[in-house]
Amino acid sequence: MFRRKMTRLVIGFIVLCLLVAGCYPTPEKTRPHRFLKVMYFGENSFYEDYGDLFLSKYGDVDLEVAVLDSSTFDPTKNYSEALREFIQRENPDVFYLSSQEYERFVRKGLLASLEPHIKADHYELSGMQDTIIDFLRELGGGQIYGLSPTFYSTALYYNADLFKQYGIDPPHDNMTWQEILDLAGRFPVDGGKQQRVYGLSVPFVQTVDSLAERIAGTDGLTAVNPETMQVTLNTDSWRNVWEMAITGVRSSAIYLPDTPFYGGSLQDYLDNDLFLQGRVAMKLDDASLLETLGSLTNTMPKYKAFSFDTVTGPVDPADRSASRDVEVGQIFAIRSGTPNPEAAWDFVKYVNSEEFAAIKARVVGSSLLTRNHHYNENRVEAFCRLRPLKVDYSREAKLPDSFKEKFKDLLSNEMGKVVRRESDLKEALERISEKGQMLLDQAVGAEELREVSRQPASVHHSSVFSRKKYFVIKEALSELFQHTTIKSLVDK
């Protein structure tokens, strides 16, 4: 009897335990962590810009940053070689590319097309700026191989109160440099240096040659053809650029500071910027000035605010709908053959998403979001109206460093004389072209001599030099031993 009773108690206890255990959920299998390596220019910057927000949504990803900076490159290699070695060594799943690198990587088959991912996820591109998407598709030969969360652009800010005060019609979209300079010249130039009004200011433009360089960049002109290594300054197009710049400087309508502002407090910024002080009618700048103007109004009670607006920056008269000042330089693309395609796509997808843009749009920075409709600032629109044009920034980098500084000094000296009416523009251009070509030939010869000196003796004997190159190298010997230069990391 007792034994039967104990058996019942044991069975009842077991059933009770089973019932209690059934009240708790069965632990699910933990999702395995995924690995992802992303290329970026700095680890701290990456997590601040993208990584922290991404991990808050994708906690199952073990994220690593392949830091791409000068410390990771071999200084004896050109940029292409150094970048290739970096990629082979790090094997990042996601590349961080400029538009030039993006186009080149597409041609070499190094990138995976995003079209299958976009189609499978029904990923919406319509909220992104059409001109940026079209540009990426153009560089990709008709397909999307990467997406850029941001882009950089400039616009022309103008002081509406000054235009109203002097009865001058304000600027409008799609103006050329000639039209902007003509408009700046309509403002009075009388009065003392500490009180007078200027028509235009451009950051880091202090001299006639820096203004000419800025104008030439908009029009797509270069002073040297790096493929032929010929100085191409003495042309009608360049002559027109110099005439604009010289006339603008002589008119005193353009504010040319003695020294540019490199940083400091908000008060220092205000003290150094005449546009913020209400003394410059127009200023060419990026979108961060919008944030600065708002900060001054909110944080500095004595700041005298003024009405302002924005229009598009200067355009090439050959195509007023586009601009070389619109840069798509933060493209994330997936490496072809990566073992982590899903995690890579999750990253590219998220940092280009509406969710990400809505968070980042709280602050207007120098680079703008490609999904720019999240901004509450209507004046952002002027930065988005022009479509980007392809610009090969590696062209100038191909020039020898020893040539660049000497040519810059030559330009500055000769054009300074023209501004002071000590020299004629036509004659100055002829002298710059002749002397500049000599400087370039010497620098190129010195570079070639260095390359030959690095090769084995058997290669020296088998190398064939033209008669012209022989004399160029001979003349460059003195330069070689007088100056020590480090060869730039250039994309050849």
Side-chain angles (χ1 to χ4, degrees):
M1 188 77 178
F2 174 77
R3 189 176 297 173
R4 186 180 299 172
K5 189 174 182 179
M6 286 298 295
T7 302
R8 288 177 180 174
L9 285 174
V10 172
I11 293 173
F13 178 75
I14 294 173
V15 172
L16 179 62
C17 290
L18 291 174
L19 290 173
V20 172
C23 295
Y24 293 92
T26 302
E28 295 181 2
K29 289 185 178 180
T30 304
R31 182 176 180 180
H33 272 240
R34 299 180 291 166
F35 178 78
L36 181 66
K37 183 184 285 191
V38 181
M39 188 171 85
Y40 205 63
F41 61 82
E43 186 170 12
N44 292 335
S45 299
F46 172 77
Y47 282 105
E48 182 179 342
D49 295 342
Y50 301 104
D52 288 339
L53 283 175
F54 171 72
L55 289 177
S56 68
K57 186 175 179 65
Y58 294 92
D60 66 314
V61 176
D62 290 328
L63 191 57
E64 182 180 337
V65 182
V67 178
L68 177 73
D69 62 16
S70 57
S71 67
T72 61
F73 280 170
D74 183 347
T76 65
K77 304 288 181 63
N78 65 49
Y79 182 81
S80 291
E81 293 172 338
L83 181 58
R84 183 169 60 251
E85 290 181 358
F86 173 85
I87 291 171
Q88 290 173 347
R89 181 176 67 251
E90 296 291 338
N91 282 321
D93 302 296
V94 176
F95 291 130
Y96 173 78
L97 305 171
S98 68
S99 57
Q100 296 80 36
E101 292 162 348
Y102 170 74
E103 183 179 26
R104 189 173 68 254
F105 279 34
V106 169
R107 289 199 307 265
K108 292 184 176 181
L110 299 177
L111 305 183
S113 174
L114 300 186
E115 300 287 352
H117 296 289
I118 293 171
K119 186 175 181 180
D121 280 7
H122 304 286
Y123 190 65
E124 192 60 64
L125 297 178
S126 60
M128 306 183 80
Q129 188 171 323
D130 290 341
T131 55
I132 304 299
I133 296 300
D134 291 344
F135 183 65
L136 292 172
R137 199 180 293 279
E138 175 190 350
L139 297 182
Q143 290 197 51
I144 297 290
Y145 287 86
L147 292 173
S148 181
T150 63
F151 68 98
Y152 180 85
S153 181
T154 58
L156 190 66
Y157 293 77
Y158 67 92
N159 186 323
D161 294 342
L162 282 180
F163 277 90
K164 184 177 180 180
Q165 177 182 341
Y166 291 100
I168 301 173
D169 291 334
H172 55 80
D173 288 337
N174 312 104
M175 295 178 71
T176 64
W177 271 106
Q178 184 67 70
E179 293 164 345
I180 292 172
L181 292 171
D182 288 345
L183 186 58
R186 297 184 60 188
F187 284 87
V189 296
D190 55 323
K193 189 176 181 180
Q194 301 302 319
Q195 295 83 28
R196 60 157 294 194
V197 168
Y198 293 85
L200 176 68
S201 70
V202 182
F204 302 104
V205 168
Q206 301 170 250
T207 60
V208 65
D209 43 300
S210 58
L211 177 59
E213 183 180 4
R214 188 70 179 78
I215 297 171
T218 299
D219 292 353
L221 300 176
T222 55
V224 179
N225 184 334
E227 306 303 329
T228 61
M229 287 298 174
Q230 295 293 311
V231 176
T232 57
L233 196 67
N234 195 13
T235 63
D236 291 341
S237 297
W238 265 108
R239 193 172 296 109
N240 183 49
V241 166
W242 283 110
E243 286 174 350
M244 274 191 278
I246 291 167
T247 301
V249 171
R250 283 177 177 171
S251 71
S252 298
I254 302 173
Y255 175 59
L256 301 174
D258 295 329
T259 56
F261 179 73
Y262 287 110
S265 66
L266 196 58
Q267 183 63 54
D268 294 333
Y269 189 15
L270 176 60
D271 293 341
N272 282 273
D273 195 300
L274 297 192
F275 180 78
L276 297 178
Q277 297 174 28
R279 293 176 51 202
V280 171
M282 298 178 289
K283 182 182 183 183
L284 185 66
D285 212 333
D286 61 37
S288 64
L289 185 57
L290 292 171
E291 195 74 21
T292 300
L293 287 162
S295 299
L296 289 170
T297 303
N298 297 329
T299 61
M300 305 191 72
K302 294 183 179 180
Y303 172 66
K304 187 178 180 181
F306 54 86
S307 299
F308 75 95
D309 209 340
T310 56
V311 295
T312 62
V315 297
D316 185 343
D319 187 352
R320 291 177 179 256
S321 66
S323 173
R324 293 180 178 86
D325 295 327
V326 181
E327 299 177 17
V328 186
Q330 295 192 0
I331 304 171
F332 287 109
I334 300 175
R335 176 169 60 90
S336 178
T338 173
N340 306 298
E342 292 82 9
W345 168 240
D346 282 342
F347 175 81
V348 174
K349 176 175 62 175
Y350 176 72
V351 299
N352 287 279
S353 68
E354 293 282 357
E355 179 182 349
F356 180 84
I359 297 172
K360 288 293 188 177
R362 296 169 187 170
V363 177
V364 180
S366 56
S367 290
L368 291 170
L369 293 162
T370 307
R371 294 187 185 272
N372 47 64
H373 57 275
H374 289 281
Y375 290 115
N376 293 323
E377 171 59 75
N378 292 330
R379 284 168 288 208
V380 163
E381 293 178 6
F383 296 85
C384 309
R385 294 189 184 118
L386 300 175
R387 57 185 175 83
L389 288 172
K390 290 170 59 174
V391 179
D392 187 359
Y393 294 104
S394 67
R395 288 172 63 86
E396 185 179 351
K398 294 178 181 178
L399 303 177
D401 288 344
S402 59
F403 163 75
K404 294 176 189 176
E405 284 300 320
K406 293 179 181 179
F407 188 65
K408 183 179 179 180
D409 291 341
L410 176 64
L411 276 175
S412 181
N413 292 333
E414 289 291 346
M415 288 306 169
K417 294 176 183 178
V418 177
V419 172
R420 296 189 299 270
R421 292 184 169 83
E422 298 172 2
S423 179
D424 174 78
L425 176 59
K426 183 176 182 296
E427 295 174 354
L429 287 175
E430 290 174 352
R431 284 195 298 271
I432 293 171
S433 296
E434 183 178 350
K435 292 180 181 179
Q437 191 64 55
M438 289 176 60
L439 291 173
L440 182 58
D441 289 344
Q442 290 175 355
V444 170
E447 288 290 317
E448 291 179 345
L449 186 60
R450 289 187 183 91
E451 288 298 320
V452 172
S453 67
R454 295 191 187 107
Q455 297 174 1
S458 59
V459 178
H460 293 182
H461 294 303
S462 62
S463 298
V464 180
F465 292 90
S466 68
R467 185 174 182 81
K468 178 181 178 181
K469 282 188 177 181
Y470 171 77
F471 285 108
V472 166
I473 291 175
K474 189 175 180 180
E475 292 173 3
L477 278 172
S478 59
E479 291 288 330
L480 175 61
F481 294 107
Q482 290 178 24
H483 301 282
T484 301
T485 60
I486 299 177
K487 190 178 182 183
S488 297
L489 295 177
V490 295
D491 187 357
K492 293 188 176 180

